[in-house]
Amino acid sequence: MSANDGSRALRIQVLIGFMCLAMLVYFVLLGRAGVLLVASGRPAAIGLGVAIFLLPVVGLWALIATLRAGFAHQRLARLAREQGMELDVDALPRRPSGRIEREAADGLFDAVRAEVEEHPDEWVRWYRLARAYDYAGDRGRARETMKKAVAMQEQRQ
């Protein structure tokens, strides 16, 4: 990992910490609003107050699920890097926005998909496929494939 990668990772961690803190403050403010609504004694306000109490629960669940998935993905990235299996996309042509050109991303995807077909029981191949889906712009399949890679890697422990 280069110094620039370490600096970027630190900035991302600080941003995640700030967003978590902001979300907790938001939950407290929502809770206060819920208490005021329930304390009003009016049936409609009580119903809204109870609904407001549920929003932080759902938000907290989403926050925890997202953080857990992120930590699992980081773990797989570290393990893949340690095995020398991280996808190298540095040489691929990029658009002015920084995204990999579509044809290059599709070519990368085809190559990685062939790896998975040859080694379907290796979690690192599924991890690489998830990354290739992401580079190709298919976020939904990238998430599903990454879930499979995480589950496979956890079973091997």
Side-chain angles (χ1 to χ4, degrees):
M1 180 188 294
S2 70
N4 190 28
D5 290 342
S7 173
R8 182 173 182 265
L10 179 62
R11 283 194 311 263
I12 290 171
Q13 289 171 348
V14 168
L15 179 63
I16 289 170
F18 174 75
M19 296 201 52
C20 290
L21 181 64
M23 193 169 224
L24 290 175
V25 169
Y26 181 66
F27 291 162
V28 168
L29 294 175
L30 270 178
R32 285 183 54 198
V35 167
L36 292 173
L37 286 169
V38 169
S40 75
R42 294 187 314 254
I46 291 171
L48 284 174
V50 169
I52 284 177
F53 288 140
L54 295 177
L55 287 176
V57 172
V58 171
L60 188 60
W61 170 82
L63 174 67
I64 291 169
T66 300
L67 288 174
R68 288 184 70 211
F71 292 140
H73 299 173
Q74 284 182 333
R75 184 182 73 249
L76 292 192
R78 180 181 46 78
L79 292 170
R81 190 172 44 252
E82 288 171 358
Q83 293 180 19
M85 294 293 290
E86 184 63 64
L87 285 179
D88 183 12
V89 295
D90 292 338
L92 295 179
R94 296 185 179 265
R95 297 179 184 164
S97 65
R99 292 196 50 87
I100 297 171
E101 288 184 8
R102 180 68 183 193
E103 296 80 26
D106 288 345
L108 174 69
F109 173 79
D110 290 338
V112 174
R113 184 181 53 190
E115 288 179 16
V116 171
E117 290 171 358
E118 289 179 36
H119 308 279
D121 296 332
E122 294 181 13
W123 69 265
V124 73
R125 305 297 177 161
W126 288 94
Y127 165 79
R128 289 168 57 89
L129 184 62
R131 300 286 293 157
Y133 270 127
D134 187 49
Y135 290 129
D138 192 340
R139 303 277 191 259
R141 285 194 176 124
R143 278 190 297 274
E144 291 305 312
T145 306
M146 188 64 78
K147 285 180 190 176
K148 180 176 179 108
V150 168
M152 290 175 75
Q153 194 277 328
E154 287 176 349
Q155 286 179 347
R156 307 244 172 182
Q157 287 183 348

